[in-house]
Amino acid sequence: TLGALDLSASDGRDVRAVLRQPKRCALLVYLALAGSEQFRRRDTVVALFWPERDGSSTRALRQALTFLRRELGVGIVATRGEEEIGLEPGAVSIDVREFERSCDTGNHADAFALYRGDFLDGFFYPMPDRRSSIFSSASAHADAVDAVSREQIASPTASGSAPARSA
């Protein structure tokens, strides 16, 4: 997510327990970044999140998915057969993807409004270098924000002033 990691349920339920489980939270972000159209193979997810484990890796993934289903509710985590996992279409929105869509369509005002800080700012999940690439979109977002900021400053709003930007 852009800025500090936040998670809320559309029905108002408290889902902050997910934020207190860094690996499970990282798994949710990974699946959300893939989008609801993209399922991930279980063996790939196990290799990314539990490479140090022996035969218990599959069980660890199963436990993580059970936890996410319990905390987030029915209709969020999806499976396709026995080998693929993902998120149900429309069940989760993530500001990073909304930001990208706004940039891609040239709607820089919306992109600027969505940007609340660096990608996963303040979130720590210890990952060896080979796994850090699953969240590597931060620099691309920073470049897009710079471009959006320049356009917002160059094109004053209807009131005649550029939007304020805090440091």
Side-chain angles (χ1 to χ4, degrees), residues 38-108:
Q38 298 288 327
F39 281 75
R40 299 292 186 213
R41 290 193 47 84
R42 285 177 184 264
D43 55 352
T44 301
V45 173
V46 165
L48 286 171
F49 287 91
W50 293 276
E52 68 284 350
R53 292 265 176 113
D54 51 12
S56 63
S57 298
T58 302
R59 185 173 63 245
L61 174 59
R62 197 169 40 251
Q63 289 171 341
L65 294 173
T66 298
F67 171 83
L68 291 174
R69 285 183 178 112
R70 184 181 67 242
E71 295 300 321
L72 301 175
V74 178
I76 305 292
V77 178
T79 57
R80 189 165 56 192
E82 293 293 317
E83 296 301 317
E84 295 179 309
I85 57 174
L87 300 177
E88 290 288 346
V92 174
S93 68
I94 186 165
D95 58 0
V96 171
R97 293 296 179 233
E98 293 172 29
F99 177 83
E100 290 171 343
R101 276 190 292 280
S102 294
C103 288
D104 290 346
T105 60
N107 191 346
H108 294 158

